[in-house]
Amino acid sequence: MSKAYPSNLTRVQYEFLSDMIPEPKPGGRKREVDIWEVLNGIFYVLVEGVRWRCLRRATPTLPGDFPVWQTVYSYFRKWRKDGTWLKIHDSLRQWTRIEEERHRSPSEAIIDSQSVKSAAMVSQSVGFDAGKKIKGRKRFMTVDTLGLVLRVLVTAANVGEREGGKLVLKRVKQSQKQVSRLTTLWVDGGFDGEPFMQWVMNFCRWIVQVVLRPEQTKGFVLLKKRWVVERTFGWVMGCRRLVRDYELLPETSETFIYLAMIRIMVRRLA
């Protein structure tokens, strides 16, 4: 790397992550690219919101010292499909909780959704959120009480809260040992209702606590537990790639959210 960008990992941060990076397959060609540069290219796309092809364009406003975009993207895509990003994210979340003197498995979680506009070329899993008047996609996010993401699900914006909530909670439940202590789920009024609560009790064995906004209140109100997930939405929106959904596949959008959290956690730990 000939330049230092704000999105770059420091050498210490990269060394911290290096043990979790998969080794090249035995018998194949020797890995010639520097994985540190590959990661910096991926985080540059995430933070600055540029297109993949912009990593190596010969223009004065965009960097030309990352590896070729095809190489950077191929690592991003490969590690999305084989689950490497999710494994790194989950390991960092457990270490962050331990650093904060918490048990690695949370006992409480918060769930909420966020609707974001989609780019013009995005057509898969796109809908209209009538409540927020947004055409695009909806992010269902579950976090612990520190605001660290457990699981995220990206759907069309017209998917209902309870329907999307069940889908993302199934992913959380599949984490098994990582949520072995989880007993309580905090939600807002969108997830209220006896059928949803009964489903959570039967399928997940968790208790649902609904936190409603006080009546006749105006302006900002700090709501118990629910403010934590709103802060997490603010964290990920600090990455320009996530301000609007530019991804053709919802799975790619989910990966970028996990990457945003990876960047936050590794900066805390290293």
Side-chain angles (χ1 to χ4, degrees):
M1 296 294 297
S2 59
K3 296 181 181 178
Y5 300 99
S7 57
N8 283 1
L9 295 173
T10 66
R11 176 53 72 173
V12 174
Q13 291 167 352
Y14 171 69
E15 293 295 338
F16 187 81
L17 286 177
S18 60
D19 290 340
M20 292 178 278
I21 301 299
E23 295 291 335
K25 292 183 178 180
R29 291 175 55 186
K30 182 179 179 181
R31 182 178 284 170
E32 298 177 356
V33 67
D34 188 342
I35 297 299
W36 184 29
E37 295 184 4
V38 171
L39 292 175
N40 285 336
I42 293 171
F43 285 123
Y44 186 87
V45 171
L46 169 69
V47 175
E48 301 300 333
V50 302
R51 296 177 298 169
W52 291 105
R53 289 172 175 81
C54 290
L55 288 178
R56 205 63 185 270
R57 289 183 59 184
T59 61
T61 58
L62 293 170
D65 49 348
F66 291 114
V68 294
W69 75 267
Q70 293 94 332
T71 299
V72 178
Y73 177 73
S74 67
Y75 276 99
F76 169 83
R77 182 175 181 271
K78 176 184 177 181
W79 290 344
R80 172 181 69 81
K81 298 184 72 174
D82 67 12
T84 296
W85 293 124
L86 192 57
K87 292 177 183 177
I88 293 174
H89 171 272
D90 289 349
S91 296
L92 291 178
R93 186 188 66 244
Q94 293 183 15
W95 292 342
T96 302
R97 288 186 58 85
I98 293 172
E99 182 73 14
E100 295 289 334
E101 299 182 352
R102 303 291 186 91
H103 193 283
R104 64 177 59 197
S105 173
S107 60
E108 298 177 300
I110 308 98
I111 182 173
D112 203 354
S113 67
Q114 178 192 47
S115 295
V116 294
K117 294 181 180 179
S118 57
M121 73 286 191
V122 178
S123 59
Q124 183 174 331
S125 299
V126 173
F128 183 74
D129 186 339
K132 298 181 180 178
K133 310 299 181 185
I134 292 177
K135 179 183 178 181
R137 287 176 173 161
K138 186 177 289 187
R139 300 164 179 167
F140 290 90
M141 193 175 295
T142 53
V143 304
D144 63 14
T145 53
L146 296 177
L148 305 178
V149 173
L150 298 175
R151 285 294 180 267
V152 65
L153 171 73
V154 176
T155 68
N158 60 334
V159 173
E161 305 295 280
R162 298 174 185 85
E163 179 184 353
K166 291 179 181 180
L167 294 174
V168 74
L169 289 178
K170 286 181 179 179
R171 293 187 176 185
V172 176
K173 185 64 176 178
Q174 290 170 355
S175 303
Q176 298 177 350
K177 291 183 179 180
Q178 297 184 41
V179 293
S180 59
R181 296 177 64 250
L182 189 58
T183 59
T184 306
L185 186 68
W186 298 86
V187 303
D188 64 12
F191 299 89
D192 197 2
E194 185 64 27
F196 179 76
M197 292 184 179
Q198 194 63 47
W199 180 89
V200 175
M201 285 286 294
N202 294 337
F203 184 81
C204 303
R205 305 298 181 185
W206 302 332
I207 298 172
V208 177
Q209 296 283 357
V210 182
V211 181
L212 300 176
R213 181 185 177 89
E215 296 182 2
Q216 299 179 347
T217 56
K218 297 181 179 180
F220 174 76
V221 179
L222 187 65
L223 299 176
K224 180 181 179 180
K225 302 291 184 178
R226 276 178 49 190
W227 68 271
V228 176
V229 68
E230 298 294 344
R231 182 182 62 180
T232 304
F233 283 134
W235 287 345
V236 300
M237 291 293 275
C239 298
R240 293 183 180 181
R241 187 83 179 195
L242 295 172
V243 172
R244 184 184 290 261
D245 200 317
Y246 296 97
E247 315 312 323
L248 298 180
L249 299 177
E251 294 85 356
T252 306
S253 300
E254 295 167 3
T255 300
F256 271 120
I257 293 173
Y258 289 126
L259 278 168
M261 294 305 300
I262 287 172
R263 182 171 179 269
I264 289 172
M265 290 186 290
V266 76
R267 293 173 72 182
R268 293 184 184 181
L269 293 169

